């Protein structure tokens, strides 16, 4: 499947900042099922930047804006070739089978698991938990109570909470799992989902929609142990530590001839 993608990143400040060192994970990941072409990247219209990859092979752009400024903006567009969502890579699955900064098992999760008799196979376990999370929780856009224990207690949370809970449960039953961050068809904001290792491949599961990902357009920007490894923006600057982050995107399938 071929898709066109276009998205914009904007970081605005109430007052001018300077010596702004930034790192943006806005370049689509490349692997066996996702390849990118005709890539066009612009930062603050025509500012110079560099490109690199982190320890998870996530691609990023980075640079420094020394002069005072009230915003950092980036636009990226291009084309992607997407294959069915089953693949392997060179990362050791064991990296994703241990607690990470935002994902650790707790007593409330054990109670959640005790409500269900899980199937034997890894795939059926992952699918059942994906659907159970979708059916048990409500997605909200903002919350004052953060973390998985609050998510389990109040039965509502952010996109990251859905994925973090599924990761924690899968790791608890010895299925390596990692978080993915990117865009999906039909939504103009970023989305998270989970890749789980089973039978020698990574498979995609979306606990917000309650589905196994197969040939739906899911455009991955980054993956990691949890969201702390794949946030789109990281940076430092001189000025008040207040900013507003806005990310919008579009994915469109190319018509088949």
């Amino acid at each position: 499947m071929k898709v066109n993608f276009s998205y914009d990143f904007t970081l605005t400040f109430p007052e001018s900042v300077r010596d702004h060192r930034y790192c943006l994970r806005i370049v689509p990941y490349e692997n066996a099922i996702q390849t990118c072409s005709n890539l066009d990247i612009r930062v603050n219209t025509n500012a110079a930047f560099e490109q690199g990859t982190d320890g998870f092979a996530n691609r990023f752009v980075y640079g420094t804006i020394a002069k005072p400024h009230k915003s950092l903006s980036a636009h990226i567009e291009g084309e992607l070739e997407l294959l069915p969502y089953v693949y392997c890579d060179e990362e050791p699955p064991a990296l994703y089978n241990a607690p990470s900064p935002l994902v650790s098992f707790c007593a409330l999760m054990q109670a959640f698991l005790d409500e269900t008799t899980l199937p034997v196979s890894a795939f059926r376990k992952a699918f059942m938990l994906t659907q159970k999370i979708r059916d048990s929780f409500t997605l909200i856009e903002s919350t004052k109570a953060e973390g998985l224990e609050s998510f389990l207690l109040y039965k509502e949370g952010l996109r990251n909470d859905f994925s973090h809970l599924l990761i924690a449960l899968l790791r608890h039953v010895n299925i390596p799992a990692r978080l993915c961050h990117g865009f999906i068809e039909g939504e103009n904001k970023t989305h998270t989902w989970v890749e789980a290792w089973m039978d020698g491949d990574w498979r995609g599961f979306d606990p917000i929609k309650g589905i196994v990902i197969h040939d739906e357009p899911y455009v991955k920007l980054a993956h990691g142990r949890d969201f702390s490894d794949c946030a789109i923006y990281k940076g430092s600057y001189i000025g008040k530590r207040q900013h507003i982050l806005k990310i919008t995107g579009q994915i469109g399938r190319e018509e088949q001839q």
Side-chain angles (χ1 to χ4, degrees):
M1 179 197 314
K2 291 184 178 181
V3 301
N4 296 310
F5 70 91
S6 172
Y7 45 88
D8 293 276
F9 165 98
T10 306
L11 191 70
T12 56
F13 307 92
E15 297 180 6
S16 293
V17 301
R18 58 186 172 86
D19 292 335
H20 188 177
R21 293 169 172 81
Y22 64 86
C23 174
L24 304 175
R25 291 184 180 88
I26 60 173
V27 185
Y29 204 97
E30 289 205 288
N31 55 26
I33 60 169
Q34 180 172 291
T35 55
C36 187
S37 60
N38 298 325
L39 192 63
D40 180 26
I41 306 172
R42 283 166 276 163
V43 177
N44 274 23
T45 306
N46 57 3
F49 60 86
E50 302 290 337
Q51 296 192 54
T53 57
D54 64 18
F56 299 96
N58 299 320
R59 304 166 72 191
F60 59 82
V61 301
Y62 65 97
T64 301
I65 301 176
K67 295 181 179 180
H69 56 284
K70 285 190 173 182
S71 67
L72 170 66
S73 62
H75 173 83
I76 182 168
E77 61 184 60
E79 299 174 357
L80 286 168
E81 177 75 29
L82 302 177
L83 298 178
Y85 212 121
V86 181
Y87 75 103
C88 61
D89 57 25
E90 296 181 355
E91 283 196 304
L95 175 64
Y96 301 102
N97 207 24
S100 54
L102 299 180
V103 177
S104 58
F105 198 76
C106 67
L108 289 174
M109 293 180 197
Q110 185 62 60
F112 184 78
L113 275 179
D114 289 343
E115 297 173 356
T116 304
T117 301
L118 293 177
V120 174
S121 77
F123 177 83
R124 290 186 178 277
K125 284 178 183 175
F127 185 37
M128 177 176 285
L129 290 172
T130 296
Q131 292 191 313
K132 182 176 175 61
I133 292 172
R134 187 270 316 272
D135 294 340
S136 301
F137 298 89
T138 300
L139 177 65
I140 57 177
E141 296 302 324
S142 63
T143 179
K144 294 182 179 180
E146 297 182 353
L148 286 180
E149 290 196 8
S150 295
F151 183 54
L152 285 154
L153 184 61
Y154 296 110
K155 303 297 183 182
E156 62 180 22
L158 308 176
R159 285 170 169 77
N160 295 350
D161 294 320
F162 283 74
S163 296
H164 283 157
L165 178 56
L166 179 57
I167 289 169
L169 297 175
L170 290 175
R171 290 175 183 172
H172 184 68
V173 295
N174 295 315
I175 300 174
R178 61 193 184 192
L179 182 138
C180 297
H181 189 202
F183 288 94
I184 64 174
E185 187 178 38
E187 294 187 9
N188 67 355
K189 60 183 66 178
T190 55
H191 193 78
T192 67
W193 61 96
V194 173
E195 288 181 348
W197 177 261
M198 51 191 65
D199 301 323
D201 286 305
W202 291 105
R203 301 291 302 268
F205 297 85
D206 186 340
I208 296 172
K209 295 182 176 294
I211 64 169
V212 179
I213 305 167
H214 180 58
D215 56 4
E216 300 82 3
Y218 277 65
V219 175
K220 179 162 71 170
L221 297 180
H223 73 236
R225 297 165 299 169
D226 55 42
F227 190 75
S228 65
D229 291 327
C230 49
I232 284 184
Y233 169 77
K234 289 187 177 181
S236 64
Y237 51 82
I238 297 176
K240 288 189 175 181
R241 296 189 63 82
Q242 297 178 7
H243 59 255
I244 298 174
L245 173 62
K246 183 178 181 181
I247 307 167
T248 58
Q250 290 184 333
I251 299 172
R253 305 191 198 200
E254 291 188 7
E255 292 186 5
Q256 301 297 316
Q257 301 296 326

